Amino acid sequence: MNRQHTNGFTLAEMMVVLVIVGLLAAIALPSYQSSVRKSRRSDARVALTETAQMLERCQTQFGRYDDPACPVTASFISTQGYYTVTALVEPGSYTLRADVRGVQASDSTCAALTLNSLGVRAAVTGSGTASSACW
């Protein structure tokens, strides 16, 4: 008897490996995407906090938040580009809002983050209900 032993994988072994890899990918990919969305929220938090600091300096220097010499614009794109930040500034108060944009628009858990002159932080989901998981 002359048996030849071949090295390699059978089709069944390859199919088992492909099924295992597919299952791992199906579990890992949504978790990874969720982590990426959460990490991008820091772009909004930084933009809101820095803008609030600029407005507080204006209040200290000029006695009002809406002084023409203040460098805060009414609307701008955050540093990394994941949020559109709008500022509603009045003489004695302000409200800042960061709305998702671009690839971050899939973040329905935290569709918008807000910060006001009293230091109150809030967030809403894509459907408009309050969310406590964003800040």
Side-chain angles (χ1 to χ4, degrees):
M1 261 200 206
N2 187 7
R3 291 185 128 192
Q4 286 186 346
H5 182 65
T6 59
N7 292 331
F9 299 103
T10 66
L11 181 59
E13 290 171 330
M14 289 297 289
M15 293 305 290
V16 168
V17 169
L18 285 175
V19 167
I20 291 171
V21 168
L23 287 172
L24 289 174
I27 294 168
L29 189 60
S31 177
Y32 171 74
Q33 290 172 332
S34 175
S35 294
V36 168
R37 278 191 296 274
K38 287 179 186 177
S39 69
R40 288 178 183 156
R41 291 177 195 156
S42 66
D43 187 34
R45 290 190 296 266
V46 167
L48 293 175
T49 304
E50 287 179 349
T51 305
Q53 289 173 348
M54 284 191 283
L55 287 165
E56 292 300 334
R57 280 193 293 277
C58 289
Q59 173 68 14
T60 302
Q61 284 181 310
F62 307 111
R64 54 189 294 165
Y65 293 113
D66 67 345
D67 193 84
C70 292
V72 176
T73 58
S75 180
F76 62 93
I77 305 299
S78 61
T79 305
Q80 295 177 354
Y82 299 124
Y83 291 87
T84 300
V85 180
T86 54
L88 174 60
V89 183
E90 298 173 352
S93 67
Y94 63 84
T95 300
L96 306 173
R97 181 181 170 111
D99 291 293
V100 293
R101 68 183 298 269
V103 296
Q104 188 66 5
S106 64
D107 187 5
S108 60
T109 304
C110 301
L113 287 82
T114 60
L115 175 63
N116 68 22
S117 55
L118 299 175
V120 176
R121 298 180 283 181
V124 294
T125 65
S127 62
T129 59
S131 177
S132 61
C134 304
W135 279 92

